[in-house]
Amino acid sequence: MKNNQKKFLTPTLEGDRFKTKSVPVEFLQELSVIQDLIFELAKDIYKKEHPTRSRLPNHFLDGISLRLLDIKKGSSIMELDLDTSEIEALDLSNDTYSYLEKAKNLLIKDLENIDIEDNNSILSKPKYANYFIRIGRHLRPNETMFLNRTGRKKYGKLTNDIRAKVLNRPYVGLTIDKFEIYADVTSIDKKNQTFTISESGLLVSASLALIDIQLLVKSLADVELVTKVLIKGTGKFDSTGRLQVIDRVDEATLIDPYDVHSRIDELMLIKDGWLDGEGKAPNKKGLLKLLTFYDKFVPKTFIKPAIFPRPDGNIQFEWSSSEYEIDAVIDLMDFKSRLHSLNFENEKETIKNFDLSTKVGWKSMNLLINEAL
């Protein structure tokens, strides 16, 4: 073996499929994920051991890669070497090997101790456990992967049952329940096959296999409007009732960015001081009562308003067209509304007051808006 090649890892596959000297191509993809996990863990170990450093050393992982050297008979035994030839060719100084060894050993140790409750285990952290969404995913029943092998000794056993424990490990103590949420899609990660949503200010990631990716792409298509997605499914919740994990998606629907229900949900999350330390939060009971009036007195086909909070704790509806700009300030205590409209062509302004706790008030306001727009 060349000096720039160090024997590093010997993943082993056992089962009827692997008795010949061959490895299904999908498992070669999993080796790449194992490399990504070990490299990420090595970086975090370095940061933990050097808390005063804000950055990794230059070229910390540059020029290092795992390469498949050989596949041995009996079971599919894959010898992986750590190739550092690029480092030597570039004459770079790199002290990464020891951290990669630490990362490998820590991963194998925690995988073997998956049944022991240990909050310090790396597999208690979603960041690392989620790599197993792609590691071991192609194993069939009665098949086993070992992450490493030395002679006859095998380490880091992985089966379908163990993989399920790894994926569930960060979420022990969570309760399972159905949910229906309005959420913003914040990102799609095709490499890791995940998507991330923001729900009540909390980021939640899930597998792309659970949802129609085209729906997610459409929700991100307009950079000016945040298009929400209504998601119904089953997930895991912590003790405060916050959604932590999406296990299943039964239905996902794009929501109109001007959807009144989802916007009211957002306004209910606002807290005092939302405007540069000032600004009163809208009254939640008032918001819910206003929504009841809106559903009762406004036709579903009516032009939806943009809705904004006001510093005094009330809210403002806005409509606009090429000719008009209309806003209605609504008091959330008595539901009195002051509407102001401006005609851009003749600069005519109109100011009207309406009682939005009554059918007559809504009908009169809707008529004025409909005539203008």
Side-chain angles (χ1 to χ4, degrees), residues 95-343:
D95 187 30
T96 308
Y97 183 74
S98 63
Y99 290 98
L100 292 173
E101 280 287 331
K102 290 178 183 179
K104 175 187 70 176
N105 294 335
L106 181 59
L107 171 61
I108 291 172
K109 177 180 73 70
D110 285 1
L111 184 59
E112 291 188 332
N113 293 327
I114 191 63
D115 289 322
I116 300 175
E117 187 172 343
D118 179 7
N119 292 332
N120 293 320
S121 167
I122 62 166
L123 298 179
S124 294
K125 301 174 176 62
K127 175 181 179 179
Y128 304 118
N130 286 345
Y131 277 90
F132 285 83
I133 292 173
R134 293 180 293 151
I135 298 174
R137 65 183 297 189
H138 297 104
L139 286 173
R140 297 175 183 174
N142 302 318
E143 293 181 346
T144 303
M145 174 192 289
F146 292 92
L147 293 190
N148 203 17
R149 180 182 185 126
T150 304
R152 292 183 176 273
K153 292 184 178 180
K154 293 168 284 190
Y155 309 94
K157 182 179 180 180
L158 186 65
T159 63
N160 284 337
D161 288 342
I162 293 174
R163 178 171 174 264
K165 291 180 182 179
V166 172
L167 292 174
N168 286 321
R169 179 62 178 271
Y171 312 112
V172 172
L174 301 186
T175 57
I176 300 175
D177 202 354
K178 292 184 177 181
F179 65 83
E180 179 176 327
I181 57 173
Y182 292 96
D184 300 325
V185 179
T186 61
S187 65
I188 300 172
D189 186 341
K190 290 186 177 180
K191 178 181 177 182
N192 293 313
Q193 289 294 291
T194 61
F195 68 96
T196 302
I197 61 171
S198 174
E199 195 274 322
S200 299
L202 178 70
L203 295 178
V204 183
S205 296
S207 170
L208 277 176
L210 296 174
I211 200 167
D212 178 7
I213 188 173
Q214 293 305 317
L215 180 141
L216 300 177
V217 171
K218 288 179 181 178
S219 74
L220 293 171
D222 194 328
V223 296
E224 295 183 356
L225 289 177
V226 177
T227 303
K228 287 185 175 292
V229 178
L230 171 62
I231 302 178
K232 298 179 182 179
T234 304
K236 296 184 179 72
F237 296 78
D238 64 16
S239 59
T240 67
R242 282 181 171 268
L243 179 65
Q244 300 292 319
V245 185
I246 297 175
D247 292 323
R248 190 181 74 205
V249 174
D250 298 320
E251 181 182 338
T253 310
L254 281 179
I255 299 299
D256 184 334
Y258 292 103
D259 180 78
V260 174
H261 281 255
S262 64
R263 183 56 176 151
I264 293 297
D265 283 347
E266 288 181 338
L267 294 179
M268 291 183 67
L269 298 175
I270 292 178
K271 297 180 180 180
D272 287 341
W274 60 271
L275 185 62
D276 296 327
E278 300 181 359
K280 186 178 178 181
N283 181 274
K284 292 182 179 180
K285 289 183 179 179
L287 287 171
L288 290 174
K289 195 168 184 180
L290 177 66
L291 187 59
T292 300
F293 290 142
Y294 186 92
D295 287 341
K296 187 175 182 179
F297 299 131
V298 179
K300 291 184 178 180
T301 56
F302 193 76
I303 302 170
K304 295 181 178 66
I307 307 176
F308 302 97
R310 290 175 57 84
D312 61 2
N314 294 314
I315 63 171
Q316 183 166 312
F317 283 11
E318 294 183 3
W319 299 263
S320 63
S321 69
S322 59
E323 297 180 12
Y324 277 90
E325 184 174 276
I326 303 173
D327 63 73
V329 177
I330 303 171
D331 190 310
L332 292 177
M333 299 303 293
D334 59 13
F335 304 101
K336 296 294 193 299
S337 172
R338 180 179 176 83
L339 182 143
H340 171 265
S341 71
L342 172 64
N343 185 313

